[in-house]
């Protein structure tokens, strides 16, 4: 895996971390490189800038709810943001994150990477709709990155949001259209935060969402 030699420094300027956390993140990047060819964990086009495109992009999500202890990441894929959040929780010294991923090969990587980085992670090899009910009332934050449209995310996370879980959903240039579409069916209390890694992207912070009575 060929990484832009300046990418790591650029990413850590955007989202500074301690030396210990940087070392854990470097372990994750190294293992991603080793597994990528066989497992296709992330888009190969993003690998040259893996620190900015994946590490920093995930770190900024954790920064929006730092101090929260119980996290849930849906559709974890190659571990972004889930493994990165787990590494941050290791430094925080308390908390853990559950990762839900239906692809068995990706689950194998997630478990391996969590083990070598010391991240407090539990991996669930399952479909989201089969297990999400188990987390109602038990998690402080739910994340999902590059997974599904906002209407689908709200359907999955309805009970979590109803019981006080904060939703952190990174979104691209189509967020306004997704919000408009969602507003037809949902009353949403949310704010957006500009991404530090992509001028066209924002992170949607959903504090509550309930179905409209006429739906």
């Amino acid at each position: 895996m060929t990484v832009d030699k300046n990418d790591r420094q650029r990413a850590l300027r955007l989202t500074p971390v301690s030396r210990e956390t940087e070392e854990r993140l470097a372990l994750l990047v190294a293992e991603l490189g080793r597994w990528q060819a066989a497992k296709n964990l992330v888009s190969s086009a993003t690998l040259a800038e893996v620190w900015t495109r994946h590490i920093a992009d995930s770190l900024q999500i954790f920064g929006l709810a730092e101090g929260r202890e119980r996290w849930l990441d849906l559709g974890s894929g190659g571990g972004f943001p889930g493994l990165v959040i787990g590494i941050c929780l290791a430094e925080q010294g308390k908390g853990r994150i559950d990762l839900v991923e239906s692809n068995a090969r990706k689950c194998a990587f997630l478990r391996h990477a969590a083990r070598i980085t010391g991240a407090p992670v539990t991996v669930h090899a399952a479909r989201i709709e089969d297990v999400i009910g188990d987390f109602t009332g038990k998690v402080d934050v739910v994340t999902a990155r590059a997974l599904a449209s906002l209407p689908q995310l709200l359907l999955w996370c309805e009970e979590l949001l109803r019981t006080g879980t904060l939703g952190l959903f990174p979104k691209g240039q189509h967020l306004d259209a997704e919000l408009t579409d969602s507003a037809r069916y949902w009353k949403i209390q949310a704010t957006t935060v500009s991404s530090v890694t992509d001028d066209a992207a924002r992170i949607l912070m959903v504090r509550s969402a309930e179905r409209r009575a006429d739906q």
Side-chain angles (χ1 to χ4, degrees):
M1 182 173 78
T2 303
V3 177
D4 179 343
K5 63 182 180 181
N6 297 316
D7 184 53
R8 178 169 172 171
Q9 293 178 334
R10 185 165 58 246
L12 294 175
R13 281 197 301 270
L14 292 171
T15 50
V17 296
S18 70
R19 178 59 61 88
E20 180 183 2
T21 292
E22 181 181 350
E23 290 173 355
R24 292 179 196 255
L25 293 169
L27 270 177
L28 171 57
V29 169
E31 290 306 298
L32 179 70
R34 287 203 318 116
W35 285 59
Q36 171 69 12
K39 307 297 184 185
N40 193 31
L41 299 167
V42 298
S43 168
S44 295
T46 66
L47 290 177
E49 297 180 328
V50 63
W51 279 87
T52 302
R53 296 284 295 273
H54 295 297
I55 299 296
D57 200 50
S58 299
L59 286 170
Q60 67 175 335
I61 296 171
F62 180 76
L64 294 175
E66 194 169 354
R68 307 284 183 107
E69 296 183 23
R70 293 291 284 115
W71 292 68
L72 172 65
D73 184 44
L74 304 177
S76 298
F80 305 106
L83 284 174
V84 174
I85 290 170
I87 288 170
C88 292
L89 291 171
E91 175 166 321
Q92 184 172 286
K94 56 184 177 180
R96 67 178 306 102
I97 183 167
D98 291 273
L99 312 185
V100 179
E101 171 56 52
S102 62
N103 184 299
R105 294 179 303 166
K106 291 179 179 178
C107 286
F109 170 75
L110 295 171
R111 292 189 178 104
H112 168 75
R115 185 170 59 252
I116 67 165
T117 59
V121 165
T122 301
V123 178
H124 305 267
R127 292 171 58 84
I128 292 167
E129 54 267 37
D130 292 338
V131 297
I132 196 162
D134 299 339
F135 298 101
T136 302
K138 298 178 181 178
V139 294
D140 303 316
V141 188
V142 59
T143 62
R145 178 177 180 260
L147 176 63
S149 67
L150 181 58
Q152 178 62 68
L153 291 175
L154 294 176
L155 279 174
W156 279 329
C157 298
E158 180 177 8
E159 290 303 306
L160 296 179
L161 297 168
R162 188 181 62 80
T163 53
T165 300
L166 172 67
L168 295 180
F169 305 130
K171 287 289 179 181
Q173 60 186 348
H174 302 299
L175 174 57
D176 290 337
E178 291 186 38
L179 283 168
T180 299
D181 191 27
S182 299
R184 295 162 55 200
Y185 307 101
W186 300 87
K187 294 179 182 178
I188 307 168
Q189 289 188 2
T191 55
T192 60
V193 177
S194 297
S195 170
V196 301
T197 62
D198 182 350
D199 290 342
R202 287 170 288 171
I203 301 165
L204 185 67
M205 304 178 66
V206 182
R207 291 177 173 80
S208 71
E210 60 179 274
R211 294 180 196 238
R212 292 191 176 277
D214 56 349
Q215 297 300 321

